[in-house]
Structures are given as C-alpha cells and as structure tokens.
Amino acid sequence: QVQLAESGGGLVQAGGSLRLACVCTGRSLSSHHMAWFRQVPGKDREFVAGTNWVGGNTKYADAAKDRFAISRDYVESTIYLKMNDLKREDTAGYYCAVSKLGAGSAVGEYDYWGQGTQVTVSS
C-alpha cells in the first residue's frame, strides 16, 4: 500500500505561484510512476503532470507546459508541483496519484490517490 498526503494549496492572485507537495509513505516507489491531476466540481479529473520515481522523465498537459514543473525528492519521499503564472482556470482540487505499472495520463492507470488540496486563483 501507498499513502499520499498533499499540501500547499491555497488562495493566490492571478500571476502568482504555489508549490504543492505530496508526501508518499508505504511501499517502495522505485518502479512507480507518479502524477498530479486536478478536478473542478462537475467535471472529469484531468492529468496535469507526471514523472517516474527513478529516471525522472516528465510529461505535462498542454495547459501546464511552460508554467508548471513536477519534481521529486528521494530523501523526503515527496513529489512537488511548482505552479507559476497561475490563471483563474487553474482553480481546482489538485490530487497526487501513484501508478504501479502505467505511465500515462489516464485516471484509470493510477492505483493510489491522495485526498487533494484546493487551489483557488483570484483575478
């Protein structure tokens, strides 16, 4: 089992920045893929960014390219999402997820999920 706990969300003005963190505990993550998703009430959960725990290959949704950066800290077993130049349309609940086998952007590929952290961007 893997437990995930997100933090770092909050209220920020458009153009500002936030760094989300996801602490991972439980089994070894060496062969896993991790990602951030986001969801607005009434809409499907959507992929934001993903990375391999080992190797560090990254993938971003078009909306996140050039503004967001996903990274991981081996010592702290933590995944980060640094978000710059935030826009109102980035307002959502942000969720950390871990996949045992997949490395894609589909919700169904991910086996473990955190409870989420809310990001609200004001104009």
Side-chain angles (χ1 to χ4, degrees), residues 2 27-34 51-55 74 98-103 111-112:
V2 174
R27 63 183 297 170
S28 171
L29 300 172
S30 61
S31 61
H32 291 44
H33 187 81
M34 23 275 303
T51 186
N52 293 324
W53 188 249
V54 176
Y74 296 119
V98 170
S99 171
K100 292 185 287 188
L101 295 175
D111 305 286
Y112 306 104

Side-chain angles (χ1 to χ4, degrees), residues 33-112:
H33 187 81
M34 23 275 303
W36 287 94
F37 286 77
R38 66 186 184 185
Q39 188 171 24
V40 175
K43 294 189 176 181
D44 292 337
R45 192 166 292 190
E46 64 177 12
F47 174 81
V48 176
T51 186
N52 293 324
W53 188 249
V54 176
N57 294 330
T58 58
K59 180 179 179 179
Y60 294 93
D62 288 343
K65 285 179 183 176
D66 301 323
R67 297 190 299 126
F68 294 3
I70 188 170
S71 61
R72 71 257 188 267
D73 183 320
Y74 296 119
V75 174
E76 299 295 331
S77 293
T78 301
I79 311 162
Y80 297 100
L81 183 69
K82 180 66 186 301
M83 305 185 293
N84 298 316
D85 189 23
L86 283 161
K87 307 176 186 303
R88 288 193 65 184
E89 51 264 40
D90 295 318
T91 295
Y94 283 73
Y95 298 84
C96 174
V98 170
S99 171
K100 292 185 287 188
L101 295 175
S105 57
V107 169
E109 295 185 69
Y110 289 81
D111 305 286
Y112 306 104

